[in-house]
């Protein structure tokens, strides 16, 4: 029920945007995903190096 209400409000918010606003929104989401993936990969590599050095 809560998920359905969240989905409906999100859909209404997206329907009210212009194509330019949707494009900007998609670019921001893509940038966030790239940064998040890069940080996650970097932390994983650092953690792996630390474990290898300590053992």
């Amino acid at each position: 029920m809560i998920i359905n209400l969240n989905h409906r409000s999100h859909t209404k918010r997206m329907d009210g945007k212009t194509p330019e606003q949707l494009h900007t929104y998609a670019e921001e989401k893509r940038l966030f995903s790239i940064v998040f993936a890069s940080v996650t990969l970097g932390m994983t590599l650092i953690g792996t190096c630390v474990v290898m050095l300590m053992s």
Side-chain angles (χ1 to χ4, degrees):
M1 179 76 178
I2 293 173
I3 294 171
N4 192 20
L5 291 174
N6 184 30
H7 180 60
R8 284 183 184 175
S9 67
H10 186 68
T11 302
K12 286 179 184 176
R13 190 171 54 235
M14 288 291 127
D15 286 345
K17 292 186 183 254
T18 64
E20 293 82 15
Q21 289 173 323
L22 288 172
H23 182 70
T24 303
Y25 177 78
E27 294 238 345
E28 289 173 358
K29 285 290 208 178
R30 185 176 69 103
L31 178 62
F32 173 79
S33 297
I34 291 170
V35 170
F36 183 79
S38 300
V39 169
T40 303
L41 181 61
M43 295 300 282
T44 302
L45 291 174
I46 290 170
T48 302
C49 291
V50 168
V51 169
M52 286 174 44
L53 289 173
M54 296 189 101
S55 55

